[in-house]
Amino acid sequence: KQEVTQIPAALSVPEGENLVLNCSFTDSAIYNLQWFRQDPGKGLTSLLLIQSSQREQTSGRLNASLDKSSGRSTLYIAASQPGDSATYLCAVKNSGAGSYQLTFGKGTKLSVIP
Amino acid sequence: DAGITQSPRHKVTETGTPVTLRCHQTENHRYMYWYRQDPGHGLRLIHYSYGVKDTDKGEVSDGYSVSRSKTEDFLLTLESATSSQTSVYFCAISGGLDEQFFGPGTRLTVL
């Protein structure tokens, strides 16, 4: 059974810092990996999708990398802003049986201090 | 934002009553999903649909049923609500086995 872990559970940084959020998964037979952002009381906003054949994806100040063989992904946020404060969730979609299902990590709660 | 709405957005009900949550999409996507989000468990898949009248179970399907009679609507029914079903429910859609887009959620409280 796929398991997804996000460490740390919470992170507090001063505004302007570059930061890295980590995601690890136990089964490397994945179809893709998706990073989401969730604001308190809100739904999930898709940030980046990385297919299993890709190594990284970029969107603005965000860069996500994928190392499928080691079961790891990182989300890099450049020049953090208070508006980046939210919970960031990583989710993987397995290939093969059960490929419709996303398995989520429990998230990293990010606070960017002005 | 993907065109996904959920109704109701908030509901309080009593144990043993039936409850139906609705997800509506305007994207004409083939796949629709129901998840629940609970502290300590994260998001878990309840049921999903891969077409009209085509549905299957997810990780935590016990106590839930679904129906999809039109492409745009996916209903989640709790036949007899229990306190353990107090949660936030999210609907998601995707065009294929790719990016999923989530709705705003429904907060359900079962007393």
Short mmCIF file of all heavy atoms in Angstrom, two decimals, chain A residues 61-90:
data_model
loop_
_atom_site.label_atom_id
_atom_site.label_comp_id
_atom_site.label_asym_id
_atom_site.label_seq_id
_atom_site.Cartn_x
_atom_site.Cartn_y
_atom_site.Cartn_z
N ARG A 61 7.32 31.21 -8.97
CA ARG A 61 8.33 31.03 -7.91
C ARG A 61 8.39 29.61 -7.38
O ARG A 61 9.15 29.33 -6.45
CB ARG A 61 8.01 31.99 -6.76
CG ARG A 61 8.15 33.47 -7.10
CD ARG A 61 7.89 34.37 -5.90
NE ARG A 61 6.51 34.29 -5.43
CZ ARG A 61 6.14 33.71 -4.31
NH1 ARG A 61 7.03 33.12 -3.51
NH2 ARG A 61 4.86 33.70 -3.96
N LEU A 62 7.61 28.72 -7.94
CA LEU A 62 7.55 27.35 -7.48
C LEU A 62 8.29 26.42 -8.44
O LEU A 62 8.17 26.55 -9.66
CB LEU A 62 6.09 26.88 -7.36
CG LEU A 62 5.15 27.70 -6.52
CD1 LEU A 62 3.76 27.08 -6.54
CD2 LEU A 62 5.65 27.86 -5.11
N ASN A 63 9.03 25.48 -7.84
CA ASN A 63 9.70 24.46 -8.63
C ASN A 63 9.55 23.14 -7.89
O ASN A 63 9.91 23.03 -6.71
CB ASN A 63 11.18 24.78 -8.82
CG ASN A 63 11.91 23.69 -9.56
OD1 ASN A 63 12.36 22.71 -8.96
ND2 ASN A 63 12.03 23.83 -10.87
N ALA A 64 9.02 22.15 -8.56
CA ALA A 64 8.86 20.83 -7.96
C ALA A 64 9.76 19.85 -8.69
O ALA A 64 9.83 19.85 -9.92
CB ALA A 64 7.42 20.36 -8.04
N SER A 65 10.44 19.02 -7.91
CA SER A 65 11.30 17.99 -8.49
C SER A 65 10.79 16.62 -8.10
O SER A 65 10.07 16.47 -7.11
CB SER A 65 12.74 18.17 -7.99
OG SER A 65 12.81 17.88 -6.61
N LEU A 66 11.16 15.63 -8.89
CA LEU A 66 10.75 14.26 -8.63
C LEU A 66 11.93 13.32 -8.85
O LEU A 66 12.57 13.35 -9.91
CB LEU A 66 9.60 13.86 -9.56
CG LEU A 66 9.16 12.40 -9.50
CD1 LEU A 66 8.58 12.07 -8.13
CD2 LEU A 66 8.13 12.11 -10.61
N ASP A 67 12.22 12.51 -7.84
CA ASP A 67 13.20 11.43 -7.97
C ASP A 67 12.44 10.14 -7.67
O ASP A 67 12.31 9.74 -6.52
CB ASP A 67 14.36 11.63 -7.00
CG ASP A 67 15.44 10.57 -7.17
OD1 ASP A 67 15.15 9.52 -7.77
OD2 ASP A 67 16.57 10.80 -6.72
N LYS A 68 11.92 9.53 -8.73
CA LYS A 68 11.04 8.38 -8.55
C LYS A 68 11.78 7.21 -7.92
O LYS A 68 11.23 6.51 -7.06
CB LYS A 68 10.46 7.98 -9.91
CG LYS A 68 9.23 7.13 -9.82
CD LYS A 68 8.60 6.94 -11.18
CE LYS A 68 9.49 6.13 -12.10
NZ LYS A 68 8.76 5.66 -13.30
N SER A 69 13.02 7.00 -8.31
CA SER A 69 13.74 5.83 -7.82
C SER A 69 13.98 5.88 -6.31
O SER A 69 13.99 4.84 -5.64
CB SER A 69 15.07 5.68 -8.56
OG SER A 69 15.88 6.82 -8.33
N SER A 70 14.15 7.09 -5.78
CA SER A 70 14.37 7.21 -4.34
C SER A 70 13.08 7.51 -3.59
O SER A 70 13.09 7.62 -2.37
CB SER A 70 15.40 8.30 -4.04
OG SER A 70 14.89 9.57 -4.36
N GLY A 71 11.97 7.67 -4.33
CA GLY A 71 10.69 7.93 -3.70
C GLY A 71 10.59 9.30 -3.05
O GLY A 71 10.05 9.42 -1.94
N ARG A 72 11.11 10.33 -3.74
CA ARG A 72 11.11 11.66 -3.14
C ARG A 72 10.71 12.74 -4.13
O ARG A 72 11.02 12.67 -5.32
CB ARG A 72 12.49 11.99 -2.58
CG ARG A 72 12.90 11.11 -1.42
CD ARG A 72 14.23 11.53 -0.85
NE ARG A 72 14.62 10.67 0.27
CZ ARG A 72 15.69 10.85 1.01
NH1 ARG A 72 16.49 11.86 0.77
NH2 ARG A 72 15.97 10.02 1.99
N SER A 73 10.05 13.75 -3.58
CA SER A 73 9.77 14.97 -4.33
C SER A 73 10.00 16.16 -3.41
O SER A 73 9.83 16.05 -2.18
CB SER A 73 8.32 14.97 -4.82
OG SER A 73 8.00 16.18 -5.47
N THR A 74 10.42 17.26 -3.98
CA THR A 74 10.57 18.49 -3.21
C THR A 74 9.83 19.62 -3.91
O THR A 74 9.72 19.63 -5.15
CB THR A 74 12.04 18.90 -3.06
OG1 THR A 74 12.61 19.13 -4.34
CG2 THR A 74 12.84 17.83 -2.33
N LEU A 75 9.29 20.52 -3.13
CA LEU A 75 8.69 21.75 -3.63
C LEU A 75 9.53 22.91 -3.13
O LEU A 75 9.64 23.13 -1.93
CB LEU A 75 7.24 21.89 -3.16
CG LEU A 75 6.52 23.15 -3.64
CD1 LEU A 75 6.33 23.13 -5.16
CD2 LEU A 75 5.17 23.32 -2.95
N TYR A 76 10.12 23.62 -4.07
CA TYR A 76 10.98 24.76 -3.76
C TYR A 76 10.17 26.02 -3.97
O TYR A 76 9.57 26.22 -5.04
CB TYR A 76 12.22 24.72 -4.66
CG TYR A 76 13.12 25.90 -4.55
CD1 TYR A 76 14.09 25.98 -3.55
CD2 TYR A 76 13.04 26.95 -5.47
CE1 TYR A 76 14.95 27.06 -3.47
CE2 TYR A 76 13.90 28.04 -5.40
CZ TYR A 76 14.85 28.08 -4.40
OH TYR A 76 15.70 29.15 -4.32
N ILE A 77 10.15 26.88 -2.95
CA ILE A 77 9.47 28.17 -3.06
C ILE A 77 10.52 29.25 -2.92
O ILE A 77 11.22 29.34 -1.90
CB ILE A 77 8.39 28.34 -1.97
CG1 ILE A 77 7.36 27.22 -2.07
CG2 ILE A 77 7.70 29.70 -2.12
CD1 ILE A 77 6.29 27.26 -0.98
N ALA A 78 10.66 30.06 -3.94
CA ALA A 78 11.65 31.14 -3.94
C ALA A 78 11.04 32.42 -3.38
O ALA A 78 9.86 32.72 -3.59
CB ALA A 78 12.15 31.38 -5.36
N ALA A 79 11.88 33.15 -2.67
CA ALA A 79 11.50 34.48 -2.17
C ALA A 79 10.12 34.47 -1.54
O ALA A 79 9.18 35.12 -2.01
CB ALA A 79 11.55 35.50 -3.30
N SER A 80 9.98 33.72 -0.46
CA SER A 80 8.67 33.50 0.16
C SER A 80 7.99 34.81 0.58
O SER A 80 8.66 35.80 0.94
CB SER A 80 8.80 32.58 1.36
OG SER A 80 9.69 33.14 2.31
N GLN A 81 6.66 34.79 0.52
CA GLN A 81 5.84 35.95 0.85
C GLN A 81 4.79 35.54 1.88
O GLN A 81 4.41 34.38 1.93
CB GLN A 81 5.15 36.48 -0.40
CG GLN A 81 6.09 36.85 -1.53
CD GLN A 81 5.35 37.13 -2.83
OE1 GLN A 81 4.13 37.00 -2.91
NE2 GLN A 81 6.10 37.51 -3.84
N PRO A 82 4.28 36.49 2.68
CA PRO A 82 3.23 36.13 3.64
C PRO A 82 2.02 35.45 2.99
O PRO A 82 1.39 34.58 3.59
CB PRO A 82 2.85 37.49 4.26
CG PRO A 82 4.12 38.29 4.17
CD PRO A 82 4.75 37.87 2.86
N GLY A 83 1.73 35.80 1.75
CA GLY A 83 0.63 35.18 1.03
C GLY A 83 0.87 33.71 0.69
O GLY A 83 -0.06 33.02 0.28
N ASP A 84 2.10 33.24 0.87
CA ASP A 84 2.39 31.82 0.65
C ASP A 84 1.98 30.97 1.85
O ASP A 84 2.02 29.74 1.79
CB ASP A 84 3.88 31.61 0.39
CG ASP A 84 4.35 32.25 -0.91
OD1 ASP A 84 3.54 32.34 -1.85
OD2 ASP A 84 5.53 32.67 -0.98
N SER A 85 1.62 31.61 2.94
CA SER A 85 1.22 30.88 4.15
C SER A 85 -0.01 30.04 3.86
O SER A 85 -1.05 30.56 3.43
CB SER A 85 0.94 31.86 5.29
OG SER A 85 2.10 32.57 5.63
N ALA A 86 0.11 28.74 4.06
CA ALA A 86 -0.95 27.78 3.76
C ALA A 86 -0.42 26.39 4.12
O ALA A 86 0.73 26.23 4.52
CB ALA A 86 -1.32 27.82 2.28
N THR A 87 -1.28 25.40 3.94
CA THR A 87 -0.82 24.01 4.06
C THR A 87 -0.57 23.46 2.67
O THR A 87 -1.40 23.62 1.77
CB THR A 87 -1.87 23.15 4.79
OG1 THR A 87 -2.01 23.63 6.14
CG2 THR A 87 -1.42 21.69 4.84
N TYR A 88 0.57 22.84 2.49
CA TYR A 88 0.97 22.28 1.20
C TYR A 88 0.89 20.76 1.27
O TYR A 88 1.46 20.13 2.16
CB TYR A 88 2.38 22.75 0.83
CG TYR A 88 2.41 24.22 0.52
CD1 TYR A 88 2.45 25.17 1.53
CD2 TYR A 88 2.35 24.67 -0.80
CE1 TYR A 88 2.42 26.52 1.25
CE2 TYR A 88 2.34 26.03 -1.09
CZ TYR A 88 2.37 26.94 -0.07
OH TYR A 88 2.34 28.28 -0.36
N LEU A 89 0.16 20.21 0.32
CA LEU A 89 -0.09 18.77 0.28
C LEU A 89 0.55 18.16 -0.96
O LEU A 89 0.50 18.74 -2.05
CB LEU A 89 -1.60 18.51 0.25
CG LEU A 89 -2.38 18.97 1.48
CD1 LEU A 89 -3.86 19.01 1.17
CD2 LEU A 89 -2.12 18.05 2.65
N CYS A 90 1.11 17.00 -0.75
CA CYS A 90 1.69 16.21 -1.83
C CYS A 90 0.80 14.99 -2.02
O CYS A 90 0.31 14.41 -1.04
CB CYS A 90 3.10 15.81 -1.42
SG CYS A 90 3.85 14.48 -2.34
#
